[in-house]
Amino acid sequence: MANGKYTRVDGRRSASSYCSTVTITVFVALCLVGVWMMTSSSSSSVVPVQNVDEPAQEKKSEAKEQLPESNESSSNQQFEDNNADLPEDATKGGKNEKIQENIEKSDEKSNEESKFDDGSNRQTQNDDNKTGDRDSKTDSEGGETNTDESEKKSYSDENGNKSDSDDGEKKSDRKSEESSGEKVDGQVEEKEDQNENKESEKSSDDKREDDSKNQSSNELFPSGAQLELTNETTTQKGSFSTQATESKNEKEAQQSSNQQNGYNWKLCNVTAGADFIPCLDNLQAIKKLRSTKHYEHRERHCPEEPPTCLVPLPEGYKRSIEWPTSREKIWYYNVPHTKLAKIKGHQNWVKVTGEYLTFPGGGTQFKNGALHYIDFIQESVPDVAWGKRTRVVLDVGCGVASFGGFLFDRGVLTMSFAPKDEHEAQVQFALERGIPAISAVMGTERLPFPGIVFDAVHCARCRVPWHIEGGKLLLELNRVLRPGGFFIWSATPVYQKLPEDVEIWNAMSQLIKAMCWELVSISKDTINKVGIAVYRKPTSNECYEKRSQQQPPVCLGSDDPNAAWHVPLQACMHNVPEESLKRGSQWPEQWPARLEKTPYWLLSSQVGVYGKSAPEDFTADYEHWKRVVSKSYLNGMGINWSTVRNVMDMRSVYGGFAAAMKDISVWVMNVISIDSPDTLPIIYERGLFGIYHDWCESFSTYPRTYDLLHADHLFSKIKKRCNLVAVVAEVDRILRPEGKLIVRDDVETINELESMVKGMQWEVRMTYSKDKEGLLCVEKSMWRPKELETIKYAIA
């Protein structure tokens, strides 16, 4: 530099100076050529992942300084090259030689690779520009969905902004320098993406088309085609997670841990042990009853504070046998009770066979098989038309529910019920077999069902004193029986001539005539050697008005036949609806048409649950659940549906979820909360069934009786008036080990539930959130806590 400056001043140049200058120039040129050759040679090879050793933290910090802060620009703006948006250093050269070397190698590779790789490069930069938003979204919605969307954007930009290779090198240089260290991260992710996707490059167009089809409406979250289910709550793509993801996950883990540690699950110490039903085993309340002659001790007596402990498992408990094998046999240790086998073994109720309890398919009234008995009824009264006209049946005093279990073969859905412990564990046997049943009794209160909903009511030697106290119990059946429906009574008074039987038959005949029921058929099955009497409820009030004596009386007009929650029984009859648009004035469509048909009594002038007119609401609900079930639940949740038999929809509205499950071999108990719109009659009109319930109390079922529970926006509603911990303990009680819970609710509630079930060692199969709405799918484990909590009211 000194010589150069000096010669320019005096204007003269010596020979030695000239030679020196030439020598230096040649030397510099040779050095530059050597550097160029070394760079060219090394750039032809792929940089291994191990060479990228700059700390990720520094790279991210540097990138944040260089990148524009706003993420609100369009994808085209993010991808296009604009020198005005680049730092000066980006056009002159890099500061960091190692990063620059990697950039140059990546640029060389970009020229040699396909345009798919170039698209991936752009996708990676776009992802880096949106690190915070994308990572947060990925954690809650599932990485696959966002990756697919980013790929689509990169493909679109590539087609719209494609340039020649020289321009591509310059653009790559500028972008690479702009994103600095994040570009290196992008290369690592890019290479992994390339390895994973090389085999599918040829079908990228098809994949993009399929992905677009899988982008379902907001109500379908998640779509099965969009999510890859894993055992983790969140999924990520690439070798290295981002700092945003790591920090977010740690904060969530700490919060979850704090919430779990805030509640310590304990094991219930109760007399009933593994069979504990809180509202039916409240021994303290039962002891205070003044009388038990009306089976008051078998009715619900719920404690003021529901239990928050977990019910123990029976020793030797195994995963339940799958349907339909379970109809014939169950594991003995799952319901280890033999009293019923000893008492009723000769009547083919249940037998102990090695490690199984077996069910020969008989019962007190059909020792030679339930199917023969069912077909005999059809032959005696063809109008019964099992599975067509008669779809929903109530079985009173069901025993082990073989009648309902075999009616499935005729397309009939049966609600079976019996009191707890009258015959040891009969309802528990039924549910373990995969047959619908609840613990209930004909006592002092109405059954938890609406009026005029059952197509038929069945009583096979159920030993209910129908005729006493003005026929109060039989009149309860009249309340729930649909006009034109059948009462099927096969009991000893029908066919035996013992004095007691004759007395009951005479009293029943008189009562039934006064109720205007028509005796359609009385016949004797020569094979089973039992008699069956079939009666039909009238379809008009004409007979009521012509009676010489108004006994039993017609109920007052103010008496609502649909009111059923802790309503005392009355010895009166409700008028039959006769107006053409009144529910019950017409028989529903035959099954299965009635499942999808809007009930004739839903009027456009009525406002539905979701705010539309009632018929539109009904249709929209069904369409919604068909999409959710088919595109998400059946294919995208990772559930083996062959292991699912007993299902409960904890907050059913129109029964859309159950209706959408019609093609798989499950039955769904639809529950209508007592503080929700009373849509249960609509569910029955569709040929489905359900029950009223208050989720601040325990359900009338044995522990471990459902394979899958479904709750759509239930928990966020009931936690306002119920102890959420107690509700979760109840969910644990009624769900079988390895059973699934699917919850759709707001994100806050989803997070609460997730922390609670994690505290019970449940496996979180999937979480998903979008627009403050979330979905949670978890699987119950076999885990039970060691610490005990004694429930004083349940100790004998």
Side-chain angles (χ1 to χ4, degrees):
M1 294 291 293
N3 287 337
K5 185 177 181 181
Y6 177 78
T7 55
R8 282 199 297 270
V9 170
D10 62 17
R12 290 175 297 178
R13 178 182 295 179
S14 66
S16 60
S17 174
Y18 179 82
C19 292
S20 176
T21 301
V22 171
T23 302
I24 292 171
T25 302
V26 171
F27 179 80
V28 170
L30 289 174
C31 289
L32 290 175
V33 171
V35 170
W36 177 81
M37 292 177 65
M38 291 176 64
T39 304
S40 177
S41 174
S42 62
S43 66
S44 63
S45 61
V46 177
V47 181
V49 173
Q50 289 82 352
N51 288 345
V52 186
D53 56 4
E54 183 177 358
Q57 185 74 20
E58 295 178 7
K59 290 180 279 185
K60 288 169 184 167
S61 299
E62 186 177 345
K64 287 180 180 178
E65 293 176 2
Q66 295 175 356
L67 288 175
E69 294 182 1
S70 174
N71 287 329
E72 296 177 0
S73 60
S74 68
S75 59
N76 286 341
Q77 289 175 326
Q78 291 170 345
F79 290 143
E80 73 182 8
D81 300 301
N82 187 342
N83 288 344
D85 295 333
L86 299 179
E88 187 178 53
D89 290 341
T91 58
K92 291 183 178 179
K95 299 177 183 178
N96 188 308
E97 293 181 1
K98 189 161 192 174
I99 294 176
Q100 182 62 35
E101 178 180 319
N102 285 328
I103 292 170
E104 292 172 353
K105 293 174 182 178
S106 178
D107 293 340
E108 189 74 13
K109 181 180 177 182
S110 297
N111 293 331
E112 297 173 359
E113 294 292 333
S114 66
K115 70 178 182 179
F116 173 85
D117 294 324
D118 184 57
S120 299
N121 227 4
R122 295 178 183 182
Q123 175 198 335
T124 302
Q125 291 182 359
N126 183 42
D127 289 346
D128 290 336
N129 288 343
K130 296 183 176 181
T131 298
D133 290 346
R134 183 175 183 272
D135 287 342
S136 175
K137 217 169 186 182
T138 301
D139 287 344
S140 60
E141 294 181 23
E144 293 294 334
T145 303
N146 289 300
T147 302
D148 290 344
E149 290 173 354
S150 299
E151 286 176 358
K152 290 177 189 177
K153 290 179 181 178
S154 67
Y155 295 150
S156 174
D157 182 74
E158 180 184 345
N159 293 333
N161 299 297
K162 188 176 179 181
S163 62
D164 58 49
S165 60
D166 292 336
D167 289 342
E169 286 183 349
K170 292 178 182 178
K171 291 178 181 179
S172 181
D173 285 343
R174 292 166 186 165
K175 286 185 181 178
S176 299
E177 191 61 27
E178 178 184 348
S179 59
S180 186
E182 288 208 334
K183 172 65 182 181
V184 180
D185 281 343
Q187 288 181 345
V188 176
E189 182 174 338
E190 176 195 359
K191 288 161 190 169
E192 288 206 353
D193 288 344
Q194 289 170 359
N195 291 335
E196 292 171 1
N197 295 322
K198 276 183 178 179
E199 294 180 1
S200 62
E201 287 176 16
K202 294 180 181 179
S203 60
S204 60
D205 292 338
D206 294 337
K207 181 180 177 182
R208 292 198 297 274
E209 183 179 350
D210 292 339
D211 286 343
S212 65
K213 291 180 181 178
N214 289 330
Q215 299 298 324
S216 52
S217 65
N218 287 339
E219 64 189 354
L220 298 180
F221 60 97
S223 169
Q226 292 174 328
L227 284 178
E228 176 182 356
L229 300 177
T230 68
N231 290 333
E232 301 297 328
T233 303
T234 59
T235 58
Q236 295 188 87
K237 199 174 175 78
S239 297
F240 304 108
S241 63
T242 65
Q243 178 58 217
T245 299
E246 292 168 355
S247 300
K248 181 175 183 294
N249 288 347
E250 177 59 24
K251 286 186 286 186
E252 289 179 347
Q254 290 180 6
Q255 182 181 10
S256 176
S257 177
N258 292 336
Q259 289 175 340
Q260 290 176 34
N261 294 335
Y263 189 81
N264 181 31
W265 294 106
K266 298 179 181 179
L267 202 64
C268 297
N269 180 24
V270 293
T271 299
D275 296 336
F276 181 44
I277 306 176
C279 289
L280 300 182
D281 289 317
N282 188 349
L283 305 181
Q284 193 175 78
I286 292 173
K287 289 176 182 177
K288 295 179 181 179
L289 294 174
R290 296 180 179 179
S291 172
T292 59
K293 69 176 184 178
H294 294 102
Y295 281 79
E296 292 92 339
H297 59 302
R298 300 305 181 198
E299 294 181 321
R300 291 171 60 84
H301 301 282
C302 298
E304 292 184 7
E305 295 294 331
T308 55
C309 52
L310 307 182
V311 176
L313 294 178
E315 186 177 352
Y317 182 88
K318 297 182 180 181
R319 177 178 175 178
S320 299
I321 295 173
E322 296 178 11
W323 179 269
T325 305
S326 61
R327 185 170 60 181
E328 319 299 334
K329 64 180 182 180
I330 62 175
W331 295 114
Y332 165 76
Y333 285 108
N334 286 14
V335 192
H337 302 296
T338 59
K339 181 179 178 181
L340 195 60
K342 293 176 182 177
I343 296 174
K344 298 292 185 179
H346 66 289
Q347 296 177 349
N348 281 351
W349 277 36
V350 57
K351 295 182 178 181
V352 180
T353 308
E355 58 182 348
Y356 301 103
L357 291 168
T358 58
F359 303 87
T364 305
Q365 297 300 100
F366 33 94
K367 298 177 185 179
N368 293 293
L371 279 178
H372 169 78
Y373 173 82
I374 291 167
D375 291 339
F376 179 76
I377 295 172
Q378 171 86 54
E379 293 169 6
S380 303
V381 185
D383 285 348
V384 166
W386 297 124
K388 294 180 180 179
R389 184 181 188 273
T390 301
R391 163 64 182 174
V392 188
V393 173
L394 179 67
D395 188 17
V396 183
C398 63
V400 295
S402 290
F403 177 71
F406 283 92
L407 271 174
F408 277 113
D409 292 351
R410 299 294 181 263
V412 177
L413 199 57
T414 307
M415 175 76 76
S416 301
F417 77 91
K420 180 180 180 180
D421 293 336
E422 287 309 306
H423 289 110
E424 188 184 39
Q426 53 187 330
V427 168
Q428 193 175 15
F429 283 136
L431 287 160
E432 184 68 19
R433 297 175 70 188
I435 303 170
I438 59 169
S439 291
V441 66
M442 301 291 296
T444 65
E445 296 180 342
R446 289 179 177 178
L447 296 170
F449 312 119
I452 56 177
V453 290
F454 288 101
D455 304 334
V457 178
H458 174 256
C459 166
R461 203 173 184 178
C462 51
R463 294 190 176 278
V464 177
W466 300 114
H467 58 290
I468 66 172
E469 298 182 349
K472 188 180 293 187
L473 300 181
L474 193 63
L475 289 167
E476 172 62 2
L477 296 190
N478 186 74
R479 180 184 73 87
V480 300
L481 183 61
R482 191 182 297 279
F486 296 104
F487 173 57
I488 303 165
W489 187 37
S490 62
T492 54
V494 177
Y495 58 92
Q496 289 187 1
K497 302 300 180 182
L498 297 175
E500 182 183 4
D501 292 324
V502 172
E503 181 181 350
I504 293 174
W505 172 258
N506 290 336
M508 279 286 285
S509 297
Q510 185 177 352
L511 173 62
I512 286 174
K513 183 179 180 181
M515 292 171 58
C516 295
W517 284 10
E518 174 192 1
L519 177 60
V520 177
S521 171
I522 182 169
S523 54
K524 187 169 183 178
D525 179 3
T526 56
I527 296 179
N528 281 320
K529 298 181 179 179
V530 298
I532 303 173
V534 181
Y535 303 89
R536 190 200 304 261
K537 179 179 176 178
T539 56
S540 73
N541 297 307
E542 182 180 358
C543 175
Y544 297 164
E545 297 166 355
K546 291 182 178 179
R547 291 181 301 164
S548 57
Q549 294 182 346
Q550 294 296 308
Q551 291 295 331
V554 174
C555 299
L556 297 175
S558 60
D559 190 317
D560 184 358
N562 296 316
W565 192 249
H566 294 301
V567 175
L569 292 178
Q570 288 182 294
C572 67
M573 298 184 302
H574 294 90
N575 272 318
V576 173
E578 292 184 315
E579 297 179 29
S580 60
L581 294 180
K582 289 288 186 180
R583 181 173 69 85
S585 62
Q586 303 176 35
W587 196 267
E589 295 281 335
Q590 288 196 350
W591 179 264
R594 66 191 282 185
L595 181 73
E596 302 185 6
K597 185 176 177 63
T598 304
Y600 64 89
W601 40 269
L602 281 185
L603 307 178
S604 298
S605 58
Q606 296 173 302
V607 179
V609 175
Y610 303 117
K612 301 178 182 179
S613 69
E616 289 182 44
D617 232 30
F618 174 89
T619 302
D621 178 80
Y622 185 36
E623 293 301 321
H624 163 70
W625 286 113
K626 281 196 296 184
R627 290 192 296 269
V628 171
V629 168
S630 64
K631 295 184 179 180
S632 178
Y633 290 2
L634 295 184
N635 299 313
M637 303 290 284
I639 296 174
N640 179 5
W641 286 95
S642 67
T643 65
V644 177
R645 173 62 182 172
N646 303 351
V647 179
M648 178 187 290
D649 191 2
M650 298 177 69
R651 182 181 172 265
S652 183
V653 179
Y654 296 114
F657 168 75
M661 305 282 281
K662 65 182 176 64
D663 293 329
I664 60 176
S665 185
V666 302
W667 60 268
V668 181
M669 177 69 77
N670 293 282
V671 179
I672 297 297
S673 299
I674 60 171
D675 60 340
S676 298
D678 186 6
T679 53
L680 194 51
I682 298 173
I683 291 172
Y684 277 91
E685 191 79 5
R686 305 183 74 171
L688 306 171
F689 64 15
I691 191 172
Y692 295 118
H693 183 58
D694 181 358
W695 281 114
C696 293
E697 303 174 353
S698 73
F699 195 78
S700 293
T701 190
Y702 282 85
R704 305 169 303 280
T705 49
Y706 283 85
D707 302 303
L708 186 142
L709 302 181
H710 178 259
D712 178 33
H713 291 83
L714 169 73
F715 293 100
S716 58
K717 297 180 183 298
I718 61 176
K719 73 178 182 179
K720 298 175 183 177
R721 65 183 186 90
C722 307
N723 181 351
L724 188 59
V725 175
V727 179
V728 173
E730 175 65 3
V731 167
D732 176 87
R733 189 186 72 84
I734 64 179
L735 189 62
R736 289 173 174 169
E738 299 187 13
K740 310 299 187 298
L741 168 66
I742 301 176
V743 181
R744 302 167 70 89
D745 221 309
D746 62 64
V747 171
E748 178 185 353
T749 303
I750 290 290
N751 291 336
E752 286 184 70
L753 293 171
E754 184 176 356
S755 66
M756 287 185 189
V757 299
K758 281 182 177 177
M760 295 188 291
Q761 311 298 318
W762 288 22
E763 178 188 352
V764 177
R765 304 292 299 275
M766 183 186 68
T767 59
Y768 181 91
S769 64
K770 185 175 184 180
D771 300 330
K772 296 183 180 180
E773 291 292 311
L775 185 144
L776 174 69
C777 179
V778 290
E779 180 180 294
K780 178 180 173 180
S781 69
M782 292 276 190
W783 177 85
R784 296 289 89 178
K786 301 296 182 183
E787 188 177 355
L788 295 178
E789 178 181 345
T790 299
I791 309 298
K792 294 182 179 179
Y793 60 78
I795 298 293

